[in-house]
Amino acid sequence: MNLKKKKIKIILITVNRSDYGIQKNLIKKLNENKNISFKLVVSGSHLDTKFGLTKNEIIADNVKIDEMFNVLAKKNKDSEREVLYNLSVSIKKFTEIYIRLKPDIIIILGDRYEMLSAAIPSIILNIPVAHIHGGELTYGSFDDSIRHCITKIAKIHFVCHEKYKKRVVQMGEDPSLVFNVGSLSVENISKFKLFSKKQIEKKLKIKFSKKNILIAFHPLTTEKKKTKKTFLNLIKSIEKFKYINFFFSYPSPDPGNLFIREKLKKLSKKNSNFYLIKSFGQNYFHSMLNEVDAIIGNSSSGIIEAPSFNTATINIGNRQKGREQSNNIINSSYEIDSITNSIKKIYSPNFKKILEKNKNIFYKKNTANKIINVLSKIDLKKINQKKFKDLN
């Protein structure tokens, strides 16, 4: 008797422009897989006009959105109180979706607080979570604690470096369910066609100079008092370089982002070499990384993606401290002189030689396929009862 194999039901969560861009190729392959019943759930800043209403990027990619909900704080603020309000409402919304869709597995990427709200209901409902990008460290952000929380909730782990795999195992996770598959975002770089300078200028309404730098600066969530000072120090540093064009992306929706956004709006009007873009979209962001001389700030994209383009990264402060690093990265303190000297260094002959030999330590072939292969064959009964694995 030929029994038809039951499709595995998988839900993937996306809550902002960054995680969608990282998972774009994975989403495409999950949709195409005949053995998988796939649903996409969209929430978070995707539905916020302040951050570019990036759900439209998903729609433009002809990707079906199966579930979507908006969580708006009662006041237009970016305090910790508003984050907690959003977190609590999101838990309720995700619970309702899981009960209605009855997934076999939920895919959650990274370390955003919105992702924690997606993970929490899975504990009570006994739905396995597959976590992407666990085992990493970022000492300067509360994302660090959230990432480890999701790791302990998750039953399947897809990490992007061998050291991260060891760290997840060290946290008591079953080694047979921890897979070093490399970075999805790095794999994506080889999949997408990059745009030319002229195409970028036309689409984003910007102008390149002979020297160009991308800025991606986010709030310091564990050092909140330093956010304003560090950002202002960064601005004071780059204002010295009138011959360089600077392209700013919007900050993440963490407490402290409102100050950065309002300051950027004023600065882009005041300085003719400053350009502000709410949301690049992954293809244009990668194309920018390919064209600029460096990315400055405290974004994970400077650590994970920039090395693939041999583009220099000036990593400021502690927000990304703890991540493994390729040779394209210059670590800077919060001080003006340190940032200024780092900018000068990226144009030095010695550093250019380093960039020529640089390799991305997070690259592995067929990352998305490896994830799908594991999820397609996983024994759900085997992982149902999670056990803490002590180190020998």
Side-chain angles (χ1 to χ4, degrees):
M1 185 168 61
N2 187 21
L3 292 175
K4 193 175 181 180
K5 185 181 178 183
K6 184 182 176 183
K7 288 185 177 182
I8 185 169
K9 293 187 286 185
I10 295 177
I11 283 179
L12 184 143
I13 313 295
T14 176
V15 298
N16 62 30
R17 65 193 181 189
S18 175
D19 79 65
Y20 171 69
I22 291 169
Q23 298 178 100
K24 187 186 286 190
N25 187 44
L26 176 62
I27 290 168
K28 179 177 179 288
K29 289 180 178 293
L30 285 166
N31 263 319
E32 293 171 347
N33 194 297
K34 294 179 180 179
N35 297 318
I36 293 171
S37 173
F38 176 68
K39 303 290 183 184
L40 181 68
V41 179
V42 175
S43 183
S45 62
H46 276 307
L47 289 88
D48 196 331
T49 53
K50 297 192 296 293
F51 296 93
L53 202 64
T54 51
K55 71 168 187 177
N56 293 332
E57 292 178 18
I58 302 174
I59 295 167
D61 288 335
N62 293 317
V63 175
K64 183 186 176 187
I65 297 173
D66 297 284
E67 296 280 347
M68 181 166 57
F69 67 88
N70 197 357
V71 181
L72 290 176
K74 293 180 180 178
K75 296 178 182 179
N76 186 25
K77 293 184 178 180
D78 61 352
S79 67
E80 288 86 351
R81 182 177 178 179
E82 302 304 320
V83 168
L84 290 167
Y85 170 85
N86 291 345
L87 189 69
S88 62
V89 174
S90 294
I91 291 172
K92 180 176 182 291
K93 294 285 188 180
F94 281 119
T95 300
E96 292 169 353
I97 289 170
Y98 298 161
I99 290 172
R100 184 166 60 253
L101 297 183
K102 297 180 175 59
D104 296 312
I105 295 173
I106 303 163
I107 299 177
I108 292 177
L109 181 142
D111 45 35
R112 296 287 309 164
Y113 62 83
E114 301 97 329
M115 291 301 192
L116 180 58
S117 70
I120 288 171
S122 75
I123 306 170
I124 310 302
L125 297 174
N126 198 26
I127 304 168
V129 165
H131 185 210
I132 301 172
H133 274 291
E136 301 174 18
L137 298 178
T138 50
Y139 295 124
S141 169
F142 58 43
D143 294 352
D144 199 54
S145 298
I146 292 171
R147 184 187 313 108
H148 299 328
C149 285
I150 298 174
T151 291
K152 291 311 301 176
I153 293 171
K155 294 178 179 177
I156 311 161
H157 309 272
F158 299 107
V159 301
C160 67
H161 193 278
E162 196 61 28
K163 186 171 281 190
Y164 300 157
K165 179 178 180 178
K166 290 178 181 177
R167 193 171 286 136
V168 170
V169 172
Q170 184 182 336
M171 292 172 70
E173 298 304 297
D174 186 341
S176 70
L177 294 172
V178 186
F179 306 91
N180 178 13
V181 295
S183 166
L184 279 169
S185 58
V186 175
E187 181 194 39
N188 288 346
I189 291 166
S190 63
K191 302 291 181 183
F192 298 138
K193 183 181 178 182
L194 298 174
F195 297 106
S196 67
K197 277 188 176 181
K198 286 185 178 180
Q199 288 174 315
I200 298 170
E201 287 178 330
K202 184 178 179 181
K203 173 70 175 179
L204 301 178
K205 296 179 175 58
I206 61 174
K207 196 72 180 175
F208 285 108
S209 175
K210 286 186 178 179
K211 293 183 178 180
N212 307 279
I213 291 177
L214 186 61
I215 309 285
F217 184 85
H218 304 298
L220 311 172
T221 52
T222 59
E223 302 173 290
K224 192 177 177 182
K225 292 180 180 178
K226 285 186 177 180
T227 293
K228 290 184 179 180
K229 183 181 178 183
T230 304
F231 180 71
L232 292 176
N233 283 352
L234 169 61
I235 297 303
K236 288 174 184 176
S237 296
I238 65 177
E239 282 184 327
K240 298 176 183 179
F241 299 90
K242 300 295 182 185
Y243 57 89
I244 298 175
N245 279 5
F246 295 95
F247 306 96
F248 294 83
S249 66
Y250 255 36
S252 59
D254 291 317
N257 79 81
L258 184 59
F259 168 79
I260 298 171
R261 286 191 287 114
E262 293 303 316
K263 199 73 179 173
L264 283 176
K265 289 174 186 176
K266 293 176 182 177
L267 288 165
S268 59
K269 292 177 181 178
K270 176 185 170 185
N271 297 277
S272 60
N273 63 327
F274 283 18
Y275 295 86
L276 176 59
I277 296 93
K278 277 189 178 182
S279 177
F280 286 94
Q282 192 185 48
N283 286 20
Y284 279 96
F285 186 76
H286 284 166
S287 298
M288 286 292 293
L289 278 176
N290 188 51
E291 296 295 346
V292 298
D293 305 308
I295 176 171
I296 301 177
N298 53 14
S299 169
S300 61
S301 56
I303 309 292
I304 296 174
E305 295 161 77
S308 291
F309 300 97
N310 287 345
T311 297
T313 294
I314 297 175
N315 179 51
I316 300 173
N318 295 326
R319 197 175 196 272
Q320 299 299 329
K321 188 175 181 181
R323 289 192 194 273
E324 297 302 301
Q325 296 185 351
S326 300
N327 294 328
N328 68 307
I329 296 161
I330 299 168
N331 292 299
S332 169
S333 75
Y334 302 115
E335 302 304 322
I336 295 172
D337 287 347
S338 180
I339 298 169
T340 303
N341 290 333
S342 296
I343 294 173
K344 292 176 180 177
K345 184 177 178 179
I346 65 173
Y347 292 105
S348 68
N350 286 341
F351 192 72
K352 286 181 178 179
K353 288 180 182 178
I354 291 172
L355 285 179
E356 288 172 3
K357 299 177 181 179
N358 184 60
K359 290 184 179 179
N360 195 324
I361 60 173
F362 302 113
Y363 174 73
K364 282 184 177 290
K365 289 182 179 179
N366 302 317
T367 300
N369 284 337
K370 288 174 181 175
I371 291 173
I372 291 173
N373 188 50
V374 170
L375 296 179
S376 299
K377 297 177 179 178
I378 202 81
D379 185 344
L380 294 173
K381 291 180 181 179
K382 179 185 175 184
I383 64 172
N384 186 47
Q385 196 70 37
K386 184 171 178 176
K387 295 179 182 179
F388 191 98
K389 295 284 185 176
D390 287 309
L391 294 177
N392 293 328

